[in-house]
Amino acid sequence: MVSSSHEAMHRIFQEYPGLFSRVSEVLGVTIGPPASATVMPTDLTENRPLERRVDTLLRIDMEDDQSYLLAIEAQGKKDPDKPASWMYYLSYLQAKYKLPPMLLVVCQDRATAEWAARPFRAGHPQSPALTLQALVAGPHNMPVITEVAEARKDLALTMLAAITHAGDPDIGAILKSLSTALRDVPETIANPIVELTAQGLGNRPAAQQWRNLVAVDLSFYKSFMSEEIRDEGRAEGRTEGRAEGRAEGIARGILLFLEQSGVDVPDEARERILGCTDLDVLSRWLLRAPGAASVEDVFAEE
């Protein structure tokens, strides 16, 4: 099962496509800010039984009328089979869309990030036919943003920094700078960042730190997570009731995102969303909802 942190590491770029431009500067490859970005289908399967699916795929259009494809993969551990899949993705995208593809791999583990940043070669050792060199964002190169003023300048980059440094000793300071910076922005901007950060931290100890900061620094917000935290304080011990209440809140948030995007939600799909009580499943659906072109995109891989 795909974890919530895995989802957050690539879906953050769906929510904030301009973030890649800032990340590219950190990685030493200067890619200008996009004029527009389009979420593309992630299914790269051909008419054969083998299914291949990239995590997130964006079409980035620049001001100079140049365009490229950005494939984003969240990688949780070393996988010797993955480089071959990445080579396939890039070759397929080049052939299908006739646009230059780029690959960004996002990691939370330093060893995995350093592994993914290595050049991978396919073909005979004496004459490799293909060489893959991915861009990699992880704890080895993402900035440690602990100053509130710096966090305010780029909330999306600070959120990615928090997610990629989730296991680092500095994570508390990064989260504090982010929660403090969010106090100055409207709820409509802060709420998605609060929720996506929580998803990205997963089950790590930093997740509880984030919950505590949200409860104190963002007590006036009414995001799904902050409401849950306040419910816990008011009614400690009512675990089942809180879980049901949060499930209903997330489900209604999913429907609201789809409604705002103009996505038609049949009665059967609406009942499926409102009737779901699995918080992990609902959280994945919530992350998919803002970029969904249809309700089937929300239920993908479930």
Side-chain angles (χ1 to χ4, degrees):
M1 179 181 293
V2 176
S3 67
S4 59
S5 59
H6 179 280
E7 291 276 324
M9 282 194 288
H10 64 88
R11 290 190 181 274
I12 185 175
F13 291 91
Q14 292 186 20
E15 293 290 327
Y16 309 95
L19 174 60
F20 177 64
S21 177
R22 279 99 73 189
V23 171
S24 72
E25 294 177 9
V26 177
L27 304 182
V29 182
T30 303
I31 305 294
S36 64
T38 305
V39 178
M40 304 286 284
T42 59
D43 191 346
L44 308 183
T45 308
E46 296 184 88
N47 293 327
R48 52 179 79 174
L50 182 62
E51 179 179 308
R52 298 180 186 271
R53 193 179 295 270
V54 67
D55 286 337
T56 281
L57 179 62
L58 300 175
R59 174 184 171 134
I60 304 294
D61 299 310
M62 309 294 284
E63 291 284 1
D64 59 3
D65 295 329
Q66 298 296 312
S67 301
Y68 65 93
L69 297 174
L70 177 61
I72 303 159
E73 287 275 283
Q75 192 66 27
K77 61 181 180 180
K78 298 178 184 179
D79 182 351
D81 295 328
K82 203 65 179 182
S85 295
W86 291 337
M87 289 181 182
Y88 171 89
Y89 296 164
L90 297 176
S91 298
Y92 178 90
L93 292 171
Q94 179 84 48
K96 180 175 182 178
Y97 294 105
K98 304 297 188 291
L99 291 173
M102 298 185 71
L103 173 64
L104 174 66
V105 181
V106 184
C107 307
Q108 290 177 301
D109 173 70
R110 187 177 299 271
T112 301
E114 292 173 349
W115 164 81
R118 289 165 36 200
F120 293 98
R121 296 176 176 84
H124 193 281
Q126 292 183 328
S127 181
L130 294 173
T131 300
L132 171 73
Q133 183 72 68
L135 294 173
V136 180
H140 68 304
N141 58 9
M142 283 295 95
V144 176
I145 300 175
T146 59
E147 298 296 329
V148 176
E150 187 178 358
R152 287 194 182 105
K153 292 178 183 177
D154 200 327
L155 294 171
L157 183 62
T158 306
M159 175 169 52
L160 181 64
I163 291 173
T164 53
H165 287 286
D168 287 8
D170 294 316
I171 183 58
I174 300 175
L175 293 176
K176 179 60 178 177
S177 69
L178 179 58
S179 66
T180 303
L182 288 176
R183 300 185 67 175
D184 302 329
V185 302
E187 273 187 64
T188 53
I189 296 175
N191 282 351
I193 294 177
V194 169
E195 300 297 332
L196 196 52
T197 301
Q199 295 294 329
L201 296 174
N203 296 322
R204 291 173 171 80
Q208 186 58 50
Q209 290 181 269
W210 181 239
R211 291 165 63 85
N212 295 339
L213 288 168
V214 168
V216 175
D217 291 345
L218 306 175
S219 59
F220 46 88
Y221 284 148
K222 294 183 179 180
S223 68
F224 300 125
M225 192 176 77
S226 59
E227 280 297 291
E228 179 199 10
I229 293 169
R230 286 193 284 277
D231 286 345
E232 289 173 354
R234 289 192 294 263
E236 192 168 8
R238 292 159 55 186
T239 305
E240 184 175 348
R242 287 197 305 273
E244 291 177 356
R246 188 186 181 204
E248 181 180 358
I250 296 176
R252 295 194 179 281
I254 294 167
L255 293 174
L256 179 61
F257 275 130
L258 293 174
E259 179 182 340
Q260 291 176 337
S261 300
V263 175
D264 179 58
V265 182
D267 290 342
E268 183 179 351
R270 183 178 298 273
E271 292 174 4
R272 180 179 177 184
I273 293 171
L274 291 173
C276 182
T277 58
D278 188 318
L279 295 180
D280 287 338
V281 172
L282 285 168
S283 295
R284 290 198 297 275
W285 291 352
L286 178 66
L287 288 171
R288 295 170 185 163
S294 68
V295 72
E296 286 77 17
D297 291 341
V298 175
F299 298 143
E301 300 182 26
E302 298 296 344

